[in-house]
Structure formats: structure tokens, C-alpha cells
Amino acid sequence: MKSAYHPAGPVMDIGIAAQDRADIAAGLSRLLADSFTLYMMTHNFHWNVKGPMFNSLHQMFMVQYTEQWNALDVIAERIRALGHPAPGTFAEFARLTSIEAPEGVPAARDMIRLLVAAQEATARTARGLYPVVDEANDQPSADLLTQRLEVHEKTAWMLRSLLEE
């Protein structure tokens, strides 16, 4: 079967309707914005944490921000594979994110609380996209969402455990 061609270039036909691809890309853009905001927050806390938990939190935050950094590319490339541009500016991320980044340098326990909330917010963003992805029969995006949910839920649990007495 020959691919359709348009004067502006080949027409995309991956078996997902154009409007569904646009809706999924919009949802993934929100996930990318949350993920980038979470990455920046975690990296900031890695640099600025202090107190008796310094060493363990400094190391834990490094593992977490490194994982987040690697996820950014995966999410952005899925948006591109769906035929849409990925957001990539602070202004776009600020407009799209559901996470409110703190001002200043919180105390270590507050950093943990803020990261729990940010991990959970990112999980909610990912989970909220499932109905659109399922309806469009978009297995690669569903797989990406499943992987991200596993990471965010596990990380939130691990951070939350640090706050228990």
C-alpha cells in the first residue's frame, strides 16, 4: 500500500486519527511540563538540601533527577512521533504544568513533602491521559504512561516513607 503524499510532504498514517494524535500530544505535553518541573525541583533540592539527612537526600535526589532527565527525552520523542512539536521553553512548561514550584530553599522535610506532591501530581497527569490513549488504540503511549506511573508512584511512596515517624 502506497503512502499518501501531500505537496507539503507525506501525510501521516500510523492508524491513529489526526485529532486523536493531537489530543494525545497535548496530554503528553502536559506530562512533559510536569516532568520537567519535577526534574528542576528535584535538581534544585539536590543542590540545596542541608541538615542531618544531607548525604542520604543529596544522593536520593540525584538518582531521582537523573531518572526524570532521561524520561524527558522519551516523552518528547513520543510527541514528535505523533507528528506534533514538543514544548521546550520555560514559558511553555510554566503554562502547561500542574506543579507549583516553591520559591526559595525549603527545609529538608519540606523538600520531601513538596516532592511527594509533585510526584503524585505527575502521576495524576499521566493517569488522566489513559482514556484518550485507550480510545485511540495507542499502545506505545499507553506503555509510556504505564512506565511513568510506576516510577512516580514508587518514588512518591519512597519519599513519603521518609516522613513517617
Short mmCIF file of all heavy atoms in Angstrom, two decimals, residues 30-85:
data_model
loop_
_atom_site.label_atom_id
_atom_site.label_comp_id
_atom_site.label_asym_id
_atom_site.label_seq_id
_atom_site.Cartn_x
_atom_site.Cartn_y
_atom_site.Cartn_z
N ARG A 30 1.52 18.13 28.52
CA ARG A 30 1.30 18.45 29.95
C ARG A 30 2.17 17.54 30.83
O ARG A 30 2.74 17.99 31.83
CB ARG A 30 -0.18 18.32 30.30
CG ARG A 30 -1.05 19.41 29.68
CD ARG A 30 -2.49 19.39 30.17
NE ARG A 30 -3.19 18.15 29.91
CZ ARG A 30 -3.79 17.85 28.77
NH1 ARG A 30 -3.79 18.70 27.76
NH2 ARG A 30 -4.41 16.68 28.63
N LEU A 31 2.27 16.26 30.44
CA LEU A 31 3.13 15.34 31.19
C LEU A 31 4.59 15.77 31.09
O LEU A 31 5.33 15.72 32.08
CB LEU A 31 2.95 13.90 30.67
CG LEU A 31 3.81 12.84 31.35
CD1 LEU A 31 3.49 12.74 32.84
CD2 LEU A 31 3.62 11.49 30.65
N LEU A 32 5.02 16.21 29.92
CA LEU A 32 6.38 16.68 29.74
C LEU A 32 6.63 17.91 30.61
O LEU A 32 7.68 18.02 31.26
CB LEU A 32 6.65 17.00 28.27
CG LEU A 32 8.06 17.45 27.90
CD1 LEU A 32 9.10 16.38 28.25
CD2 LEU A 32 8.12 17.81 26.42
N ALA A 33 5.67 18.81 30.67
CA ALA A 33 5.81 20.02 31.50
C ALA A 33 5.90 19.66 32.98
O ALA A 33 6.73 20.20 33.72
CB ALA A 33 4.65 20.97 31.24
N ASP A 34 5.04 18.75 33.43
CA ASP A 34 5.11 18.29 34.83
C ASP A 34 6.46 17.61 35.09
O ASP A 34 7.09 17.83 36.13
CB ASP A 34 3.98 17.32 35.15
CG ASP A 34 2.66 18.00 35.46
OD1 ASP A 34 2.60 19.25 35.45
OD2 ASP A 34 1.68 17.27 35.70
N SER A 35 6.89 16.79 34.16
CA SER A 35 8.14 16.05 34.32
C SER A 35 9.34 17.00 34.37
O SER A 35 10.26 16.81 35.17
CB SER A 35 8.32 15.04 33.19
OG SER A 35 7.27 14.09 33.21
N PHE A 36 9.32 18.03 33.53
CA PHE A 36 10.42 19.00 33.53
C PHE A 36 10.42 19.81 34.82
O PHE A 36 11.48 20.04 35.43
CB PHE A 36 10.34 19.93 32.32
CG PHE A 36 11.55 20.80 32.19
CD1 PHE A 36 12.72 20.33 31.60
CD2 PHE A 36 11.54 22.10 32.68
CE1 PHE A 36 13.84 21.13 31.51
CE2 PHE A 36 12.66 22.91 32.58
CZ PHE A 36 13.82 22.43 31.99
N THR A 37 9.25 20.21 35.26
CA THR A 37 9.14 20.97 36.52
C THR A 37 9.62 20.11 37.69
O THR A 37 10.36 20.59 38.56
CB THR A 37 7.69 21.44 36.72
OG1 THR A 37 7.29 22.21 35.59
CG2 THR A 37 7.54 22.27 37.98
N LEU A 38 9.22 18.85 37.71
CA LEU A 38 9.67 17.92 38.75
C LEU A 38 11.18 17.73 38.68
O LEU A 38 11.87 17.71 39.71
CB LEU A 38 8.95 16.58 38.61
CG LEU A 38 9.36 15.47 39.56
CD1 LEU A 38 9.20 15.87 41.02
CD2 LEU A 38 8.54 14.21 39.25
N TYR A 39 11.72 17.60 37.48
CA TYR A 39 13.17 17.46 37.30
C TYR A 39 13.90 18.67 37.90
O TYR A 39 14.84 18.52 38.67
CB TYR A 39 13.53 17.32 35.81
CG TYR A 39 14.96 17.67 35.54
CD1 TYR A 39 15.99 16.78 35.86
CD2 TYR A 39 15.31 18.91 35.00
CE1 TYR A 39 17.31 17.12 35.66
CE2 TYR A 39 16.63 19.25 34.80
CZ TYR A 39 17.63 18.36 35.13
OH TYR A 39 18.94 18.70 34.94
N MET A 40 13.44 19.88 37.53
CA MET A 40 14.10 21.09 38.02
C MET A 40 14.00 21.20 39.54
O MET A 40 14.97 21.57 40.21
CB MET A 40 13.49 22.33 37.36
CG MET A 40 13.80 22.45 35.88
SD MET A 40 15.54 22.78 35.55
CE MET A 40 15.71 24.40 36.26
N MET A 41 12.83 20.88 40.07
CA MET A 41 12.63 20.96 41.52
C MET A 41 13.56 19.97 42.23
O MET A 41 14.22 20.33 43.22
CB MET A 41 11.16 20.64 41.86
CG MET A 41 10.83 20.76 43.32
SD MET A 41 9.13 20.22 43.72
CE MET A 41 8.17 21.38 42.78
N THR A 42 13.64 18.76 41.73
CA THR A 42 14.47 17.73 42.36
C THR A 42 15.95 18.11 42.28
O THR A 42 16.70 17.94 43.25
CB THR A 42 14.21 16.36 41.71
OG1 THR A 42 12.81 16.09 41.72
CG2 THR A 42 14.94 15.25 42.46
N HIS A 43 16.36 18.62 41.12
CA HIS A 43 17.77 19.01 40.96
C HIS A 43 18.10 20.19 41.88
O HIS A 43 19.17 20.21 42.52
CB HIS A 43 18.05 19.36 39.50
CG HIS A 43 19.45 19.09 39.10
ND1 HIS A 43 19.81 18.72 37.83
CD2 HIS A 43 20.62 19.12 39.80
CE1 HIS A 43 21.11 18.55 37.76
NE2 HIS A 43 21.63 18.79 38.94
N ASN A 44 17.20 21.14 41.97
CA ASN A 44 17.36 22.28 42.89
C ASN A 44 17.53 21.78 44.33
O ASN A 44 18.43 22.24 45.06
CB ASN A 44 16.17 23.21 42.76
CG ASN A 44 16.18 24.34 43.76
OD1 ASN A 44 17.22 24.82 44.18
ND2 ASN A 44 15.00 24.76 44.17
N PHE A 45 16.68 20.86 44.73
CA PHE A 45 16.76 20.34 46.10
C PHE A 45 18.06 19.56 46.32
O PHE A 45 18.64 19.61 47.39
CB PHE A 45 15.54 19.49 46.43
CG PHE A 45 14.24 20.27 46.51
CD1 PHE A 45 13.04 19.60 46.60
CD2 PHE A 45 14.21 21.66 46.49
CE1 PHE A 45 11.84 20.29 46.69
CE2 PHE A 45 13.02 22.36 46.57
CZ PHE A 45 11.82 21.68 46.67
N HIS A 46 18.51 18.84 45.31
CA HIS A 46 19.80 18.13 45.38
C HIS A 46 20.92 19.12 45.69
O HIS A 46 21.78 18.86 46.53
CB HIS A 46 20.05 17.41 44.05
CG HIS A 46 21.45 16.96 43.84
ND1 HIS A 46 21.98 15.82 44.42
CD2 HIS A 46 22.45 17.49 43.10
CE1 HIS A 46 23.23 15.67 44.04
NE2 HIS A 46 23.55 16.68 43.24
N TRP A 47 20.91 20.25 44.99
CA TRP A 47 21.95 21.25 45.19
C TRP A 47 21.86 21.92 46.56
O TRP A 47 22.88 22.29 47.14
CB TRP A 47 21.85 22.36 44.14
CG TRP A 47 22.24 21.96 42.75
CD1 TRP A 47 23.17 21.03 42.38
CD2 TRP A 47 21.72 22.51 41.55
NE1 TRP A 47 23.25 20.96 41.02
CE2 TRP A 47 22.37 21.86 40.48
CE3 TRP A 47 20.77 23.48 41.26
CZ2 TRP A 47 22.09 22.17 39.14
CZ3 TRP A 47 20.50 23.77 39.94
CH2 TRP A 47 21.16 23.12 38.90
N ASN A 48 20.65 22.10 47.06
CA ASN A 48 20.45 22.99 48.21
C ASN A 48 20.04 22.32 49.51
O ASN A 48 19.86 23.01 50.51
CB ASN A 48 19.42 24.06 47.84
CG ASN A 48 19.99 25.02 46.82
OD1 ASN A 48 20.99 25.68 47.08
ND2 ASN A 48 19.37 25.09 45.65
N VAL A 49 19.89 21.01 49.52
CA VAL A 49 19.49 20.34 50.76
C VAL A 49 20.60 20.50 51.81
O VAL A 49 21.78 20.56 51.49
CB VAL A 49 19.16 18.84 50.52
CG1 VAL A 49 20.39 18.03 50.17
CG2 VAL A 49 18.42 18.25 51.72
N LYS A 50 20.17 20.58 53.06
CA LYS A 50 21.14 20.65 54.17
C LYS A 50 20.48 20.05 55.41
O LYS A 50 19.27 19.81 55.43
CB LYS A 50 21.60 22.09 54.43
CG LYS A 50 20.51 23.06 54.75
CD LYS A 50 21.06 24.48 54.82
CE LYS A 50 19.92 25.44 55.10
NZ LYS A 50 20.35 26.81 55.10
N GLY A 51 21.28 19.80 56.41
CA GLY A 51 20.78 19.24 57.65
C GLY A 51 21.24 17.82 57.85
O GLY A 51 22.05 17.29 57.09
N PRO A 52 20.70 17.16 58.90
CA PRO A 52 21.18 15.82 59.27
C PRO A 52 20.94 14.76 58.19
O PRO A 52 21.62 13.75 58.17
CB PRO A 52 20.40 15.48 60.54
CG PRO A 52 19.46 16.58 60.79
CD PRO A 52 19.71 17.68 59.83
N MET A 53 19.97 14.98 57.30
CA MET A 53 19.69 14.00 56.24
C MET A 53 20.43 14.36 54.95
O MET A 53 20.14 13.78 53.90
CB MET A 53 18.19 13.91 55.97
CG MET A 53 17.37 13.38 57.13
SD MET A 53 15.65 13.05 56.68
CE MET A 53 15.02 14.72 56.45
N PHE A 54 21.37 15.30 55.01
CA PHE A 54 22.01 15.81 53.80
C PHE A 54 22.50 14.70 52.87
O PHE A 54 22.13 14.65 51.71
CB PHE A 54 23.19 16.75 54.12
CG PHE A 54 24.01 17.05 52.90
CD1 PHE A 54 23.59 17.98 51.98
CD2 PHE A 54 25.19 16.35 52.65
CE1 PHE A 54 24.32 18.24 50.83
CE2 PHE A 54 25.92 16.59 51.50
CZ PHE A 54 25.48 17.54 50.59
N ASN A 55 23.36 13.83 53.37
CA ASN A 55 24.00 12.86 52.49
C ASN A 55 22.98 11.94 51.82
O ASN A 55 23.02 11.75 50.61
CB ASN A 55 25.06 12.04 53.24
CG ASN A 55 25.95 11.29 52.28
OD1 ASN A 55 26.47 11.88 51.33
ND2 ASN A 55 26.12 10.00 52.52
N SER A 56 22.07 11.39 52.59
CA SER A 56 21.10 10.45 52.01
C SER A 56 20.16 11.16 51.04
O SER A 56 19.86 10.63 49.96
CB SER A 56 20.32 9.72 53.10
OG SER A 56 19.63 10.63 53.92
N LEU A 57 19.70 12.37 51.38
CA LEU A 57 18.81 13.09 50.47
C LEU A 57 19.55 13.57 49.23
O LEU A 57 19.01 13.50 48.12
CB LEU A 57 18.15 14.27 51.19
CG LEU A 57 17.12 13.89 52.25
CD1 LEU A 57 16.56 15.14 52.92
CD2 LEU A 57 16.00 13.04 51.67
N HIS A 58 20.77 14.06 49.41
CA HIS A 58 21.57 14.52 48.27
C HIS A 58 21.71 13.39 47.24
O HIS A 58 21.49 13.60 46.04
CB HIS A 58 22.93 14.99 48.79
CG HIS A 58 23.81 15.59 47.75
ND1 HIS A 58 23.60 16.84 47.21
CD2 HIS A 58 24.93 15.10 47.16
CE1 HIS A 58 24.55 17.10 46.32
NE2 HIS A 58 25.37 16.06 46.27
N GLN A 59 22.04 12.20 47.72
CA GLN A 59 22.19 11.05 46.83
C GLN A 59 20.85 10.61 46.24
O GLN A 59 20.75 10.32 45.05
CB GLN A 59 22.84 9.87 47.59
CG GLN A 59 24.27 10.12 47.99
CD GLN A 59 25.17 10.40 46.80
OE1 GLN A 59 25.08 9.77 45.77
NE2 GLN A 59 26.04 11.40 46.95
N MET A 60 19.81 10.54 47.06
CA MET A 60 18.50 10.12 46.60
C MET A 60 17.98 11.08 45.53
O MET A 60 17.46 10.65 44.49
CB MET A 60 17.50 10.05 47.75
CG MET A 60 16.08 9.67 47.31
SD MET A 60 14.90 9.73 48.67
CE MET A 60 15.21 8.14 49.40
N PHE A 61 18.11 12.37 45.77
CA PHE A 61 17.64 13.36 44.81
C PHE A 61 18.40 13.24 43.49
O PHE A 61 17.82 13.42 42.41
CB PHE A 61 17.75 14.78 45.37
CG PHE A 61 16.85 15.08 46.54
CD1 PHE A 61 17.10 16.19 47.34
CD2 PHE A 61 15.76 14.27 46.86
CE1 PHE A 61 16.28 16.49 48.42
CE2 PHE A 61 14.94 14.56 47.95
CZ PHE A 61 15.19 15.67 48.73
N MET A 62 19.69 12.92 43.54
CA MET A 62 20.46 12.75 42.31
C MET A 62 19.92 11.58 41.48
O MET A 62 19.76 11.70 40.27
CB MET A 62 21.95 12.55 42.61
CG MET A 62 22.78 12.44 41.33
SD MET A 62 24.56 12.42 41.62
CE MET A 62 24.75 10.87 42.46
N VAL A 63 19.64 10.48 42.13
CA VAL A 63 19.06 9.33 41.42
C VAL A 63 17.72 9.73 40.80
O VAL A 63 17.44 9.41 39.64
CB VAL A 63 18.89 8.13 42.38
CG1 VAL A 63 18.07 7.02 41.76
CG2 VAL A 63 20.26 7.60 42.81
N GLN A 64 16.91 10.47 41.56
CA GLN A 64 15.59 10.85 41.07
C GLN A 64 15.67 11.85 39.93
O GLN A 64 14.96 11.70 38.92
CB GLN A 64 14.75 11.40 42.22
CG GLN A 64 14.38 10.33 43.22
CD GLN A 64 13.71 10.89 44.46
OE1 GLN A 64 13.43 12.07 44.57
NE2 GLN A 64 13.46 10.02 45.43
N TYR A 65 16.51 12.87 40.03
CA TYR A 65 16.55 13.85 38.94
C TYR A 65 17.18 13.24 37.69
O TYR A 65 16.81 13.60 36.57
CB TYR A 65 17.18 15.19 39.33
CG TYR A 65 18.69 15.27 39.41
CD1 TYR A 65 19.49 15.19 38.27
CD2 TYR A 65 19.32 15.50 40.62
CE1 TYR A 65 20.87 15.29 38.34
CE2 TYR A 65 20.70 15.61 40.70
CZ TYR A 65 21.46 15.50 39.56
OH TYR A 65 22.83 15.60 39.64
N THR A 66 18.10 12.31 37.84
CA THR A 66 18.69 11.64 36.68
C THR A 66 17.63 10.82 35.95
O THR A 66 17.55 10.84 34.72
CB THR A 66 19.88 10.76 37.10
OG1 THR A 66 20.86 11.59 37.74
CG2 THR A 66 20.50 10.04 35.92
N GLU A 67 16.80 10.12 36.71
CA GLU A 67 15.72 9.34 36.10
C GLU A 67 14.75 10.27 35.38
O GLU A 67 14.33 10.00 34.25
CB GLU A 67 14.99 8.52 37.18
CG GLU A 67 14.07 7.44 36.63
CD GLU A 67 12.77 7.97 36.04
OE1 GLU A 67 12.26 9.00 36.53
OE2 GLU A 67 12.27 7.37 35.07
N GLN A 68 14.40 11.39 36.02
CA GLN A 68 13.50 12.36 35.40
C GLN A 68 14.09 12.93 34.12
O GLN A 68 13.39 13.08 33.12
CB GLN A 68 13.21 13.52 36.37
CG GLN A 68 12.12 13.24 37.36
CD GLN A 68 10.81 12.90 36.70
OE1 GLN A 68 10.25 11.85 36.96
NE2 GLN A 68 10.32 13.75 35.85
N TRP A 69 15.37 13.27 34.16
CA TRP A 69 16.04 13.83 32.97
C TRP A 69 15.92 12.87 31.79
O TRP A 69 15.61 13.28 30.67
CB TRP A 69 17.50 14.13 33.29
CG TRP A 69 18.26 14.61 32.09
CD1 TRP A 69 19.15 13.91 31.34
CD2 TRP A 69 18.17 15.91 31.50
NE1 TRP A 69 19.63 14.69 30.32
CE2 TRP A 69 19.04 15.92 30.39
CE3 TRP A 69 17.44 17.06 31.81
CZ2 TRP A 69 19.21 17.05 29.58
CZ3 TRP A 69 17.60 18.18 31.00
CH2 TRP A 69 18.47 18.16 29.91
N ASN A 70 16.17 11.60 32.04
CA ASN A 70 16.09 10.60 30.96
C ASN A 70 14.67 10.44 30.44
O ASN A 70 14.48 10.17 29.25
CB ASN A 70 16.66 9.27 31.44
CG ASN A 70 18.16 9.34 31.65
OD1 ASN A 70 18.87 10.05 30.94
ND2 ASN A 70 18.65 8.64 32.65
N ALA A 71 13.69 10.61 31.30
CA ALA A 71 12.29 10.47 30.88
C ALA A 71 11.85 11.61 29.96
O ALA A 71 10.98 11.42 29.10
CB ALA A 71 11.38 10.42 32.10
N LEU A 72 12.44 12.78 30.12
CA LEU A 72 12.03 13.93 29.31
C LEU A 72 12.17 13.63 27.82
O LEU A 72 11.28 13.94 27.03
CB LEU A 72 12.87 15.16 29.66
CG LEU A 72 12.72 15.69 31.09
CD1 LEU A 72 13.71 16.81 31.35
CD2 LEU A 72 11.29 16.13 31.36
N ASP A 73 13.27 13.03 27.44
CA ASP A 73 13.51 12.72 26.03
C ASP A 73 12.49 11.71 25.50
O ASP A 73 11.99 11.85 24.38
CB ASP A 73 14.93 12.21 25.86
CG ASP A 73 15.50 12.53 24.50
OD1 ASP A 73 15.32 13.68 24.04
OD2 ASP A 73 16.11 11.65 23.88
N VAL A 74 12.18 10.71 26.29
CA VAL A 74 11.23 9.68 25.88
C VAL A 74 9.86 10.30 25.62
O VAL A 74 9.20 10.02 24.60
CB VAL A 74 11.14 8.57 26.94
CG1 VAL A 74 10.05 7.56 26.61
CG2 VAL A 74 12.49 7.87 27.11
N ILE A 75 9.42 11.16 26.51
CA ILE A 75 8.10 11.80 26.37
C ILE A 75 8.10 12.73 25.15
O ILE A 75 7.18 12.69 24.33
CB ILE A 75 7.72 12.56 27.66
CG1 ILE A 75 7.63 11.60 28.84
CG2 ILE A 75 6.39 13.31 27.46
CD1 ILE A 75 7.61 12.30 30.21
N ALA A 76 9.13 13.56 25.03
CA ALA A 76 9.20 14.50 23.90
C ALA A 76 9.25 13.76 22.57
O ALA A 76 8.59 14.16 21.60
CB ALA A 76 10.41 15.41 24.05
N GLU A 77 9.99 12.67 22.51
CA GLU A 77 10.09 11.92 21.26
C GLU A 77 8.78 11.24 20.90
O GLU A 77 8.45 11.08 19.72
CB GLU A 77 11.24 10.92 21.32
CG GLU A 77 12.59 11.64 21.24
CD GLU A 77 13.78 10.71 21.34
OE1 GLU A 77 13.60 9.49 21.55
OE2 GLU A 77 14.91 11.22 21.20
N ARG A 78 7.98 10.85 21.90
CA ARG A 78 6.66 10.28 21.59
C ARG A 78 5.76 11.36 21.01
O ARG A 78 5.01 11.10 20.06
CB ARG A 78 6.03 9.65 22.84
CG ARG A 78 4.69 8.99 22.57
CD ARG A 78 4.83 7.83 21.59
NE ARG A 78 3.52 7.40 21.10
CZ ARG A 78 3.32 6.83 19.93
NH1 ARG A 78 4.35 6.58 19.12
NH2 ARG A 78 2.12 6.48 19.55
N ILE A 79 5.83 12.57 21.55
CA ILE A 79 5.05 13.68 20.98
C ILE A 79 5.44 13.89 19.52
O ILE A 79 4.58 14.04 18.65
CB ILE A 79 5.26 14.97 21.81
CG1 ILE A 79 4.71 14.80 23.23
CG2 ILE A 79 4.62 16.18 21.11
CD1 ILE A 79 5.14 15.90 24.20
N ARG A 80 6.73 13.88 19.24
CA ARG A 80 7.22 14.06 17.86
C ARG A 80 6.77 12.91 16.97
O ARG A 80 6.40 13.13 15.82
CB ARG A 80 8.75 14.19 17.86
CG ARG A 80 9.27 15.43 18.57
CD ARG A 80 8.83 16.73 17.88
NE ARG A 80 9.37 16.74 16.53
CZ ARG A 80 8.65 17.02 15.44
NH1 ARG A 80 7.37 17.34 15.54
NH2 ARG A 80 9.20 17.00 14.25
N ALA A 81 6.80 11.69 17.49
CA ALA A 81 6.37 10.53 16.69
C ALA A 81 4.90 10.62 16.33
O ALA A 81 4.47 10.05 15.32
CB ALA A 81 6.65 9.23 17.45
N LEU A 82 4.12 11.34 17.13
CA LEU A 82 2.71 11.55 16.83
C LEU A 82 2.50 12.72 15.86
O LEU A 82 1.36 13.04 15.51
CB LEU A 82 1.92 11.80 18.13
CG LEU A 82 1.81 10.58 19.04
CD1 LEU A 82 1.31 10.99 20.42
CD2 LEU A 82 0.92 9.51 18.42
N GLY A 83 3.58 13.36 15.44
CA GLY A 83 3.50 14.40 14.43
C GLY A 83 3.32 15.80 14.96
O GLY A 83 2.92 16.70 14.22
N HIS A 84 3.64 16.02 16.23
CA HIS A 84 3.46 17.34 16.83
C HIS A 84 4.76 17.83 17.44
O HIS A 84 5.59 17.03 17.87
CB HIS A 84 2.35 17.28 17.89
CG HIS A 84 1.01 17.05 17.28
ND1 HIS A 84 0.20 18.07 16.88
CD2 HIS A 84 0.38 15.90 16.94
CE1 HIS A 84 -0.90 17.56 16.34
NE2 HIS A 84 -0.81 16.25 16.37
N PRO A 85 4.92 19.16 17.54
CA PRO A 85 6.12 19.69 18.20
C PRO A 85 6.02 19.51 19.70
O PRO A 85 4.94 19.63 20.28
CB PRO A 85 6.12 21.17 17.81
CG PRO A 85 4.70 21.49 17.47
CD PRO A 85 4.08 20.20 16.96
#
